[in-house]
Amino acid sequence: MTGFWAKCLFRIVVLVALLSGSARATTPEGGARLALVIGNASYGSVSALDNPVNDARMISQTLEGLGFTVSMAVDMGQVEMKLAIAQFGRDLRAAGADATGLFYYAGHGVQSFGNNYLLPVDVALSDAADLDLMAVEAQTVLRQMASARNRTNLVILDACRNNPFENVPELNESGLAEMKAPTGTFLAYATAPGGVALDGQGANSPFTLALAEQIVVPGQPVEQAFKEVRRAVLAQSDGQQTPWDTSSLVSDFMFAEAPPSPVLSAAETEELQLWRSVQSARDPVQLMLFLRGYPEGTYTPEARALLAEVMAEELSVDTSTPATSPVAPDEQETALFKAAQEEGSLAAYEAYMQSYPTGTYAEIVTTEIAALQMGQGSDPIGEGTVADAGPASAQASAEPRHSEAGPVTFASPLVSELEQISGRSLAELIDQTPMFPPIEGLPESYWKSQNCSSCHQWTRERLCTQANTYLSLNMQRSLSKQHPFGGVMKRSLKSWAAGGCQ
């Protein structure tokens, strides 16, 4: 026996012993995870490659960290490759139906007549007809894995770096052909069918580098992992390389299992339930109270973002109608409006509306009329009557009007049937405790001894800014929303703003 063949036989014996003697790792569900990783770079008769050995080592280490039993070999000849694939098939069949098999190959690969071939380092070819005698057909791997009838198989080919046989007739096609995946198999290619993959400028190929980063992401399905790999490679290659995959998986698979969901404490459960209620309501007052109750809570960032969104919606300009320049009121209209404010009676406001139904102050006057009519038992702005209101809103909707003594000022007493409101000014009200929780189910500790100012951080200037928002047509629906101090609070703020926040 020559020295060359003795060396080959020795390597084969060692390789078989390595593959057959390794212990099997198992998934968290109990199924074995087996992987065969091959990296061929030191070719003799065709162009050598820089990174496949590095790529094979990186993937092997990553897979071992994910619970795979990995058999890795580099720079393999044809006989060695076929023996390794055959042993991999035997191990997979012995592992049972719940096992997961993974085959990874980095190196040269070519296609011929629609079939894909992985090239061993000892390949030497001058005629296309000899390809299946010199190379390893990729279908060999699929047949071995399919024979195991196990649950999940993955085949990852970082090949097609270039075609080393461009001068051989009938072997001048680039890249690999797309293969049909047996049931339960996920096939991934470094580039699209017929495309050429990059070997990479660094120590690893772009595809394998992205793959090693994505398969360790906890809870990420295999389909999503390879989608992220595709995005990364497209970005790094400026769109020149598009990783490809096909799947016939019939069960879910993750390389890294998601961590178990934490068990919530009673306080955490309460916070979650309250956040879901506030999130669904999309009410700015409720959101502000939630933020006050949980300033550093789990959902605080989401609550702040939602509050900003809701306020933007409330204050947005209605673009459904073309914007028009406001028309300044004439002196007679202004005088009539001021006279109605000074008198504060229903008749005075109705007189203004008869003279200026679409006047500058028509919206303000309409609100004043609605408030006064509510005091007489009608419900023109849709806040409901005592008879049909809920427990909290029944008390609030009972108040009749805010003032009959003149325009609302910051210090003027308001008029209401609600004992907590009547006779108090806006300045006094914002320091009062709400009559009922602004959010149903809100713990008393968050509102019982609090006041408006502590929640809204109101000063007179900030309150004026809030009051001016009620002058907008887009804020009319906010006027009808329930308020812990009754409907008179919002209407009084609007009237106060109309008078210049005096």
Side-chain angles (χ1 to χ4, degrees):
M1 179 181 294
T2 64
F4 171 77
W5 286 110
K7 182 178 179 181
C8 286
L9 180 60
F10 175 75
R11 291 181 67 186
I12 290 170
V13 171
V14 172
L15 175 65
V16 171
L18 173 66
L19 293 174
S20 60
S22 57
R24 293 189 188 122
T26 60
T27 65
E29 294 79 18
R33 286 184 161 192
L34 307 179
L36 173 58
V37 177
I38 298 175
N40 286 344
S42 300
Y43 289 91
S45 300
V46 299
S47 58
L49 296 170
D50 294 330
N51 291 333
V53 172
N54 295 333
D55 293 336
R57 287 173 179 158
M58 171 182 279
I59 290 299
S60 294
Q61 293 171 359
T62 305
L63 291 175
E64 286 173 349
L66 294 169
F68 281 82
T69 295
V70 181
S71 298
M72 187 194 81
V74 299
D75 292 334
M76 303 184 80
Q78 185 201 44
V79 175
E80 295 170 307
M81 284 184 67
K82 288 186 174 181
L83 283 172
I85 292 169
Q87 183 62 52
F88 180 57
R90 287 192 289 271
D91 290 344
L92 201 53
R93 287 189 290 274
D98 290 333
T100 296
L102 186 148
F103 175 79
Y104 170 91
Y105 172 79
H108 277 306
V110 296
Q111 65 166 300
S112 177
F113 297 102
N115 295 323
N116 294 322
Y117 295 87
L118 311 179
L119 302 188
V121 294
D122 58 1
V123 66
L125 191 68
S126 58
D127 194 305
D130 297 334
L131 183 60
D132 59 344
L133 301 175
M134 300 290 182
V136 177
E137 188 178 3
Q139 285 291 341
T140 302
V141 179
L142 294 179
R143 283 192 290 269
Q144 288 290 332
M145 299 177 93
S147 70
R149 302 182 184 277
N150 56 313
R151 180 177 58 186
T152 303
N153 288 312
L154 304 104
V155 176
I156 304 170
L157 303 178
D158 192 356
C160 346
R161 316 254 174 153
N162 55 55
N163 181 6
F165 302 123
E166 290 181 346
N167 296 325
V168 176
E170 298 179 344
L171 277 180
N172 55 5
E173 294 184 80
S174 297
L176 298 180
E178 187 169 5
M179 298 184 292
K180 291 184 178 180
T183 301
T185 305
F186 188 93
L187 289 173
Y189 309 83
T191 190
V196 176
L198 303 176
D199 196 36
Q201 299 298 319
N204 297 98
S205 78
F207 174 77
T208 293
L209 188 61
L211 178 63
E213 292 176 350
Q214 289 301 320
I215 62 177
V216 297
V217 176
Q220 183 168 237
V222 61
E223 295 85 356
Q224 183 63 33
F226 278 89
K227 185 183 296 182
E228 296 300 327
V229 169
R230 183 156 46 248
R231 288 173 178 164
V233 174
L234 278 167
Q236 187 170 347
S237 66
D238 292 327
Q240 298 179 43
Q241 179 178 337
T242 305
W244 204 261
D245 56 69
T246 58
S247 174
S248 64
L249 292 179
V250 293
S251 59
D252 297 331
F253 177 78
M254 300 175 185
F255 285 98
E257 296 295 321
S261 300
V263 178
L264 299 180
S265 65
E268 290 170 333
T269 301
E270 180 183 272
E271 179 187 0
L272 174 60
Q273 292 174 343
L274 188 58
W275 164 238
R276 287 175 176 171
S277 173
V278 170
Q279 186 180 36
S280 176
R282 294 178 64 86
D283 182 86
V285 173
Q286 293 188 22
L287 285 164
M288 285 188 285
L289 284 169
F290 178 84
L291 287 170
R292 183 190 179 282
Y294 299 96
E296 302 294 336
T298 304
Y299 312 100
T300 297
E302 293 178 69
R304 288 189 180 127
L306 182 57
L307 177 59
E309 179 184 329
V310 170
M311 291 305 298
E313 291 174 358
E314 294 277 7
L315 301 175
S316 63
V317 177
D318 186 0
T319 57
S320 60
T321 56
T324 56
S325 300
V327 178
D330 57 34
E331 294 182 3
Q332 185 175 356
E333 179 188 356
T334 301
L336 185 59
F337 171 67
K338 288 184 176 180
Q341 278 193 312
E342 291 175 0
E343 183 175 334
S345 67
L346 181 61
Y349 284 121
E350 288 178 340
Y352 170 88
M353 289 301 295
Q354 290 175 0
S355 300
Y356 301 97
T358 59
T360 303
Y361 308 105
E363 182 187 342
I364 300 171
V365 171
T366 300
T367 302
E368 300 299 317
I369 290 174
L372 293 172
Q373 287 176 333
M374 179 168 287
Q376 299 174 1
S378 59
D379 182 30
I381 63 172
E383 290 196 1
T385 62
V386 175
D388 63 11
S393 61
Q395 192 180 23
S397 62
E399 50 80 25
R401 56 194 181 277
H402 49 73
S403 174
E404 292 185 348
V408 173
T409 67
F410 193 60
S412 62
L414 305 179
V415 177
S416 172
E417 289 181 355
L418 294 175
E419 181 180 349
Q420 296 91 334
I421 307 300
S422 186
R424 288 189 170 90
S425 65
L426 289 173
E428 294 172 319
L429 268 185
I430 62 176
D431 289 325
Q432 299 300 307
T433 298
M435 296 179 291
F436 59 88
I439 309 172
E440 186 175 354
L442 187 69
E444 287 190 354
S445 60
Y446 293 129
W447 67 274
K448 191 74 172 179
S449 60
Q450 307 302 326
N451 54 56
C452 283
S453 292
S454 62
C455 171
H456 297 279
Q457 296 182 334
W458 269 336
T459 62
R460 178 168 179 164
E461 292 72 21
R462 289 182 179 179
L463 184 62
C464 181
T465 300
Q466 175 67 30
N468 273 282
T469 64
Y470 295 125
L471 298 178
S472 167
L473 285 173
N474 294 321
M475 291 294 287
Q476 292 310 298
R477 65 188 181 93
S478 291
L479 287 171
S480 63
K481 288 182 179 179
Q482 185 56 46
H483 189 278
F485 288 144
V488 69
M489 179 69 172
K490 290 183 178 179
R491 290 194 302 276
S492 296
L493 286 172
K494 180 174 181 179
S495 180
W496 179 51
C501 295
Q502 298 299 313

